[in-house]
Amino acid sequence: AFLITEGYLKTKNIKKYIIRLSIFAIISEIPFDLAFQNNVFNIESQNVFFTLAISVVTIYLFDKYKNKPYVAIIPIAGILAAQFIQSDYAGFGVILIFLLYLAKGNKLYILIALMIFNLLIIAASTQSISSPWRYIQAFSMFSFFIMFMYNGERGKSLKYMFYIFY
């Protein structure tokens, strides 16, 4: 989620970024469904790349229309879209990415965003995240230490290696 917001903030071409995420969402769907649903195609659950793509579209539209009175509807629409298609992390994933986008590199705000997200996950009784996973999710707080060490500079370009790994 943190790297998606960094990617959004630093990409040269946001439309290509959205297209790339969307293509990987589609390509990853069959292996995802086979691994987790034992089906070639399952409409009831979509992989996390759909959440990532919806999140990037959400923050792009939020940026584009930030001076409009209806701007608050945009993140709500992104959350509802992820919930509707039942993507991994669903609306919670969009919330986290949106909060990290609002934090924009402020390490205190990033920590607060992670805490809010984890409290939402643990407190929620939702169909999209099963009970044991809610508590395991709390370990994501340890990722803050890695984010805290991030200096905002680009390291080695391993973009496609991570896509292939996924």
Side-chain angles (χ1 to χ4, degrees):
F2 176 75
L3 294 176
I4 284 293
T5 59
E6 284 294 304
Y8 172 80
L9 294 168
K10 296 184 178 186
T11 190
K12 293 176 186 157
N13 188 327
I14 188 62
K15 291 176 184 173
K16 282 185 180 178
Y17 190 48
I18 292 168
I19 289 168
R20 204 168 40 247
L21 286 170
S22 301
I23 288 170
F24 276 95
I26 293 164
I27 290 171
S28 301
E29 190 58 26
I30 291 174
F32 175 83
D33 287 342
L34 284 170
F36 294 103
Q37 307 299 328
N38 206 21
N39 263 324
V40 173
F41 181 72
N42 186 343
I43 194 76
E44 295 176 9
S45 178
Q46 311 326 313
N47 70 70
V48 75
F49 270 102
F50 284 99
T51 307
L52 302 178
I54 289 169
S55 298
V56 172
V57 169
T58 300
I59 56 180
Y60 168 71
L61 292 174
F62 184 83
D63 258 357
K64 187 174 180 174
Y65 298 107
K66 63 183 161 200
N67 297 322
K68 303 291 183 189
Y70 53 81
V71 71
I73 295 170
I74 294 169
I76 294 168
I79 293 164
L80 292 174
Q83 285 291 130
F84 179 75
I85 68 164
Q86 300 179 46
S87 63
D88 249 7
Y89 285 94
F92 289 111
V94 176
I95 291 169
L96 176 61
I97 292 169
F98 190 74
L99 287 173
L100 290 172
Y101 160 74
L102 292 177
K104 289 185 188 165
N106 182 310
K107 292 177 182 182
L108 175 62
Y109 292 164
I110 290 170
L111 179 61
I112 292 168
L114 285 172
M115 288 191 300
I116 290 169
F117 177 73
N118 279 296
L119 289 172
L120 285 172
I121 292 289
I122 291 168
S125 57
T126 177
Q127 298 168 359
S128 63
I129 301 172
S130 62
S131 280
W133 289 108
R134 291 188 305 190
Y135 300 105
I136 291 169
Q137 180 62 40
F139 286 102
S140 73
M141 287 300 295
F142 293 112
S143 67
F144 175 73
F145 297 111
I146 296 168
M147 289 182 252
F148 186 78
M149 293 173 19
Y150 176 63
N151 63 7
E153 294 179 19
R154 184 179 182 157
K156 287 184 177 181
S157 180
L158 302 172
K159 172 175 59 178
Y160 291 107
M161 186 203 67
F162 286 110
Y163 283 120
I164 291 167
F165 174 79
Y166 175 80

